[in-house]
Amino acid sequence: MSKKKILVLGANGKTGRRVVERLQHLNDIEIIIGSRTAEHPFDWENPETWPAVIEGVHSVYITFQPDLAVPSAPEIITEFTRLANKYGVEKMVLLSGRGEKEAQVCEEIVQSTAKSWTIIRASWFNQNFSESFFLEPILAGFVALPRAEALEPFTDADDIADVVTACLLNDKHNSQTYELTGPRLLTFPEAVKEIAKATDREIQFQSLTLEKYTQQLREYQVPEDHIWLINYLFEHVLDGRNSSITNDIEKVLNRKATDFSTYAKEIAKTGIWNAVNV
């Protein structure tokens, strides 16, 4: 019996890497790595790289870089899903952004094109504090961000990966849209305070205007497309629209979502937040 091929796009990313780790334990699954560094490279900006990766694939986990909200995303997602259909892909699981109206355009493209689909909308990842753009400020002991008052249900990337894996493997999740959140709402200062407590470090938080924050990003020579995305997230997504929690993680996994304090304690044990002192 031939193995079912599952393509994981963004296989080196926060959720893609974790999905690959979970699928690796299954004997009847062949994982196809979708990344620029894979044996057969996959590049969203170069459609000529797509066919060699898609051929023979049954299911695909779609993570789009840098974000489905960027203006070019709908055209690229349309082209990819049409090609995937042409090559016989049976199921598409799309990672989307919770509360991102622009990303919902891409959701609709997948829903109207894929033979079977699942949409997974996620809130801000816990791992943004340990694997992404908040790590350096945490190490420096000084975090300055806009929207300090915004309440966000930070979601753990391991929970997201567990849900994605379940959706890839079980057809009962077909035609479902899941909104994934953590079990409680936190402001950014409260999240930073949790990390400070877990690491027994002093980490200061300063509230900035979005304009001042953008100015700082430019001073640090952050690419303009990244600045656009950060502005979009802070200006539009953190306006209160996501200040609620769901039970969709529990619905899919039959367990509670991971609390931010649990995440902070586990990551603190690795020492990554204390690397500044090494």
Side-chain angles (χ1 to χ4, degrees):
M1 182 178 178
S2 60
K3 293 184 177 182
K4 181 186 294 185
K5 291 185 179 181
I6 296 181
L7 169 61
V8 179
L9 299 179
N12 296 325
K14 282 189 284 293
T15 63
R17 171 169 54 83
R18 289 170 165 84
V19 170
V20 169
E21 289 171 355
R22 284 151 176 77
L23 294 175
Q24 282 175 337
H25 300 293
L26 304 175
N27 294 327
D28 58 343
I29 298 296
E30 179 181 348
I31 305 166
I32 308 300
I33 300 297
S35 76
R36 292 179 179 179
T37 59
E39 180 181 356
H40 297 288
F42 179 93
D43 186 348
W44 279 115
E45 296 178 4
N46 183 6
E48 291 181 1
T49 66
W50 301 354
V53 179
I54 295 174
E55 188 172 7
V57 163
H58 177 275
S59 305
V60 57
Y61 174 44
I62 303 173
T63 63
F64 181 81
Q65 295 295 327
D67 193 277
L68 288 175
V70 302
S72 62
E75 181 180 352
I76 297 173
I77 292 296
T78 296
E79 189 174 356
F80 175 81
T81 54
R82 285 177 178 171
L83 186 68
N85 251 358
K86 178 183 174 182
Y87 275 82
V89 172
E90 293 291 330
K91 180 186 293 191
M92 303 183 201
V93 177
L94 177 71
L95 180 66
S96 186
R98 188 176 185 234
E100 296 182 19
K101 291 183 179 179
E102 288 78 2
Q104 290 174 22
V105 174
C106 295
E107 294 178 12
E108 291 167 3
I109 292 168
V110 171
Q111 290 168 332
S112 64
T113 308
K115 294 177 182 177
S116 299
W117 56 266
T118 308
I119 305 297
I120 295 175
R121 298 172 180 165
S123 301
W124 285 65
F125 297 175
N126 293 344
Q127 282 72 14
N128 286 337
F129 292 93
S130 53
E131 300 177 20
S132 193
F133 42 86
F134 297 148
L135 174 58
E136 191 172 334
I138 292 291
L139 291 176
F142 185 79
V143 180
L145 291 171
R147 295 283 192 181
E149 78 290 349
L151 288 166
E152 178 69 16
F154 295 102
T155 311
D156 198 84
D158 284 305
D159 286 350
I160 298 169
D162 284 342
V163 170
V164 169
T165 303
C167 293
L168 287 168
L169 298 177
N170 196 321
D171 288 343
K172 74 178 182 179
H173 302 295
N174 291 357
S175 303
Q176 297 295 314
T177 297
Y178 295 121
E179 292 205 359
L180 309 188
T181 74
R184 62 186 171 116
L185 298 169
L186 290 167
T187 63
F188 282 102
E190 288 170 341
V192 170
K193 189 178 291 185
E194 293 262 8
I195 294 171
K197 180 181 178 181
T199 56
D200 196 25
R201 290 181 54 208
E202 183 177 342
I203 305 173
Q204 297 180 348
F205 184 94
Q206 180 183 350
S207 178
L208 297 178
T209 64
L210 186 55
E211 291 74 18
K212 180 66 175 176
Y213 186 56
T214 301
Q215 179 185 334
Q216 286 192 0
L217 293 175
R218 289 201 170 97
E219 289 172 358
Y220 283 106
Q221 298 183 331
V222 174
E224 281 298 320
D225 56 345
H226 288 203
I227 292 176
W228 179 91
L229 178 58
I230 291 168
N231 265 280
Y232 168 80
L233 293 173
F234 275 103
E235 185 174 2
H236 297 288
V237 181
L238 285 170
D239 61 358
R241 72 183 68 180
N242 287 338
S243 296
S244 61
I245 60 174
T246 74
N247 67 344
D248 282 2
I249 287 176
E250 186 173 0
K251 185 189 301 182
V252 175
L253 302 178
N254 295 315
R255 65 165 176 79
K256 299 286 187 182
T258 302
D259 189 80
F260 190 88
S261 62
T262 302
Y263 153 78
K265 290 172 184 174
E266 290 302 311
I267 297 300
K269 292 176 184 176
T270 70
I272 190 172
W273 285 325
N274 295 93
V276 69
N277 298 325
V278 174

